[in-house]
Amino acid sequence: MSQDCIFCRIARGEIPSRKVYEDEDVLAFHDINPAAPVHFLIIPKVHVVNLYDADMAHQAVLGKVLGMAGQLAREQGLTDGFRTIINNGRVGRQEVYHLHMHVLGGPDPLRSGLNTP
Ligand code: AMP
Ligand code: ZN
């Protein structure tokens, strides 16, 4: 848990979000600046910076992030496919340094990547 981290603050309920799903381990919420008709993020509630910071101690929670994606995507209307993205570090163009997986989709085929996070 990090005091100033914006996604920790969202997980603690200190900053509002449009929630998609929540349990004791993970939170999913809509991206504030969507890059697709449906664009939400799935985060572990525990503060993990990115995949460099992850190790086997995070196996269960990161498994849950992946394991929830299909169900949540379907519930958000993404029945014909979706894209997942995890950005890591500077070259990965990570903006928020709390690990998150983007889930993107919508009725139209997504362009090949220029306008995705
Ligand atoms: P990344 O470049 O992978 O670190 O992406 C960070 C994402 O977090 C961006 O798509 C932002 O639009 C999104 N974001 C930043 N602040 C918030 C917030 N308060 N609520 C929801 N999404 C946010
Ligand atoms: Zn955090």
Side-chain angles (χ1 to χ4, degrees), residues 5-8 10 29 41 43 47-50 87 89 93-100 102:
C5 168
I6 185 170
F7 285 180
C8 282
I10 287 175
F29 54 97
L41 308 173
I43 68 168
H47 184 77
V48 184
V49 173
N50 54 35
N87 293 324
R93 299 189 185 181
Q94 184 175 6
E95 290 171 9
V96 175
Y97 278 76
H98 178 129
L99 194 151
H100 51 280
H102 296 260

Side-chain angles (χ1 to χ4, degrees), residues 8-114:
C8 282
R9 297 192 67 197
I10 287 175
R12 289 198 295 266
E14 295 171 8
I15 294 177
S17 66
R18 286 177 56 220
K19 214 171 283 182
V20 169
Y21 173 80
E22 179 170 23
D23 66 25
E24 64 274 25
D25 303 312
V26 302
L27 175 68
F29 54 97
H30 291 282
D31 197 292
I32 205 166
N33 185 22
V38 176
H39 182 182
F40 62 92
L41 308 173
I42 310 177
I43 68 168
K45 285 191 169 178
V46 64
H47 184 77
V48 184
V49 173
N50 54 35
L51 291 177
Y52 285 124
D53 191 34
D55 60 29
M56 295 315 291
H58 303 105
Q59 184 176 16
V61 71
L62 294 185
K64 201 161 183 177
V65 168
L66 281 173
M68 292 303 302
Q71 178 191 323
L72 298 182
R74 210 178 270 120
E75 287 173 4
Q76 293 302 312
L78 305 182
T79 55
D80 198 26
F82 60 95
R83 178 174 291 179
T84 53
I85 298 170
I86 300 176
N87 293 324
N88 296 277
R90 181 182 65 84
V91 172
R93 299 189 185 181
Q94 184 175 6
E95 290 171 9
V96 175
Y97 278 76
H98 178 129
L99 194 151
H100 51 280
M101 185 168 79
H102 296 260
V103 178
L104 299 120
D108 300 318
L110 294 170
R111 287 179 25 197
S112 58
L114 287 177

